[in-house]
Amino acid sequence: VCTLQAAFTVSEAYEIKKHLKEWSESERDYFKFVNTGTIDPYVCLWGSKQTTYLKTKYAKPIIPTNSVKKYFPRRYKRTKSPKIIISGMRHFEAFYDEDGNCVPGKSTVVVLPVEGKTSAQFLLGLLNSCIPKFFFKECYGALAMDGGITFTHNNCGEIPIPKRLGKSQSKIERVVDRILAAKRRDTVADTSALERELDELVCALYGLTAAEKSIVQAKTAK
């Protein structure tokens, strides 16, 4: 239903640093640079939260479009495509780069929905639900460093996704659309009620009993 990729190789990550710069009003053609620290559920915090990359801090980091095209040609098409970007460390959170405006940093995972298989909204809702959080705590919790887990395209690919989605997919999409609409109006909008509704739908999709659902929610409560 989707393709998962590492954002960049280690060598590319250091090469990116050479092309990172602060945004200024004179900049016209660029991609926003986003890493784990500037990702919240459903929201990109670029410009509202400081970005730290390889020990350098940026307020609004960008990479000129021509630089991506010239020095990272293999990544250019993906960069300008709609994609989901997942934080790579500590908290499992994802947002949808619908307009293809962002370059994902080294410590992130890129999800590319497969056209005709399932929608980005459904995948976004699933990824931000309690199920992946429970999965990682149960499977990788023992490997956590400083209370956090490192997420890669390999272990993210292990998240089980039901093969039969039925009407659940459209129900989840509608809730996600409402969350996204609220976040567009105000990035700090309280969507907790909608997120709880989403968790209920996702748990039902996986066929969890009431007891199983209680265990999942207890172990993933903030």
Side-chain angles (χ1 to χ4, degrees), residues 1 6 27 88 94 97 114 123 143 153 160 162 171 173 186 206 216:
V1 296
E27 299 290 344
D97 176 26
V114 176
L123 288 171
L143 303 175
H153 66 292
K171 290 179 181 178
E173 288 169 348
D186 179 3
Y206 281 81
V216 169

Side-chain angles (χ1 to χ4, degrees), residues 9-20 33 35 51-58 89 105-107:
T9 63
V10 173
S11 60
E12 286 175 326
Y14 283 93
E15 184 66 23
I16 284 173
K17 180 76 179 291
K18 300 176 185 177
H19 306 284
L20 268 181
F33 179 80
N35 68 358
T51 299
T52 302
Y53 189 70
L54 297 178
K55 298 182 179 180
T56 302
K57 298 184 184 299
Y58 303 86
M89 293 178 286
K106 171 69 173 66
S107 63

Side-chain angles (χ1 to χ4, degrees), residues 120 133 162 175:
K133 296 177 180 65
V175 175

Side-chain angles (χ1 to χ4, degrees), residues 3 24 29 32 48 53 55 78 85 91 93 105 112 114-115 118 126-129 136 154-155 182 188 205 211 220:
T3 300
S24 69
D29 200 5
K32 300 174 182 177
S48 61
Y53 189 70
K55 298 182 179 180
R78 185 187 69 183
I85 303 176
H91 304 295
E93 300 164 328
L112 299 168
V114 176
E115 190 173 350
T118 190
L126 179 66
L127 291 169
N128 280 315
S129 75
F136 280 113
N154 290 320
N155 59 25
V188 296
L205 174 64
T220 57

